[in-house]
Amino acid sequence: VLALPAAAFMLQEQEAHAAQMERTFIAIKPDGVQRGLISEIVSRFERKGFKLVGIKIIVPPKDFAQKHYHDLKDRPFFNGLCNFLSSGPVLAMVWEGEGVIRYGRKLIGSTDPQNSEPGSIRADLAVVVGRNIIHGSDGLETAKDEIKLWFKPEELVNYTSNAEKWIYG
Ligand code: ADP
């Protein structure tokens, strides 16, 4: 069998990467914004090699916070959580990359900062579960729903970063 020309092989590889591209919704909650942690958190996603495709700062109304956290509506902390999310500016973002949903959650760390792995955002920068500074979608369907809730399609930018060929090969 003749070897594929290098260019065709590279194209196949690029297509394989493109097929695995995902988007996730990441939000810095009001505590993270007020504590001046935006650049610290954004830089961790950026340096990893993920691509920022949407970003805005908003104070979400309470009913919007309730929509975002609707899965938790029966939990005792639901009301306090929604009050908190709508108490100040939230930095809403969409990040793109291979495995960004699952690995984004690793960068963030587990829900309670007391149990988060050292090196993760919540472990390094937060102390209690009710002020854990950041949100990240927990699966493919949630990511789709949350991106749709927070962003209009035209607020998301499709672009090729020159770094991609160095990140993915
Ligand atoms: P995660 O944000 O890690 O996906 P959950 O979806 O379980 O975690 O919870 C959503 C948010 O609710 C958490 O990030 C945290 O801010 C808050 N929360 C979760 N558990 C508690 C709790 N026991 N007390 C207060 N707030 C909580």
Side-chain angles (χ1 to χ4, degrees):
V1 181
L2 284 176
L4 278 172
F9 179 69
M10 282 170 65
L11 197 63
Q12 276 188 335
E13 278 206 326
Q14 282 166 11
E15 281 165 2
H17 288 302
Q20 290 173 60
M21 280 300 165
E22 295 174 347
R23 287 179 171 182
T24 193
F25 173 69
I26 301 290
I28 305 180
K29 301 181 195 178
D31 48 348
V33 174
Q34 295 289 359
R35 290 177 53 202
L37 296 173
I38 290 175
S39 60
E40 166 74 37
I41 292 170
V42 167
S43 81
R44 290 182 183 215
F45 280 82
E46 196 176 34
R47 285 181 299 171
K48 166 76 176 167
F50 293 140
K51 183 166 74 178
L52 186 60
V53 296
I55 187 166
K56 63 182 170 186
I57 188 159
I58 56 167
V59 180
K62 178 142 184 212
D63 62 334
F64 188 91
Q66 287 166 335
K67 267 187 212 155
H68 172 75
Y69 278 128
H70 68 274
D71 280 352
L72 299 171
K73 62 178 186 307
D74 298 327
R75 305 295 289 273
F77 55 82
F78 179 68
N79 192 44
L81 176 63
C82 295
N83 281 337
F84 173 63
L85 195 72
S86 57
S87 70
V90 171
L91 190 80
M93 296 176 280
V94 177
W95 285 88
E96 185 181 287
E98 223 175 281
V100 71
I101 300 172
R102 196 178 67 88
Y103 204 84
R105 298 272 297 182
K106 281 197 185 197
L107 287 177
I108 288 170
S110 35
T111 307
D112 185 348
Q114 300 284 343
N115 299 324
S116 300
E117 308 68 22
S120 66
I121 291 166
R122 284 169 172 165
D124 291 355
L125 306 170
V127 183
V128 298
V129 69
R131 296 292 183 271
N132 62 6
I133 69 171
I134 183 166
H135 167 84
S137 307
D138 64 6
L140 193 59
E141 285 313 308
T142 331
K144 280 185 189 157
D145 291 347
E146 291 176 350
I147 291 168
K148 213 163 128 187
L149 178 66
W150 288 80
F151 286 90
K152 300 187 184 106
E154 63 268 27
E155 291 175 320
L156 301 176
V157 182
N158 294 305
Y159 65 102
T160 304
S161 143
N162 286 325
E164 271 166 50
K165 58 180 178 286
W166 300 105
I167 294 165
Y168 294 102

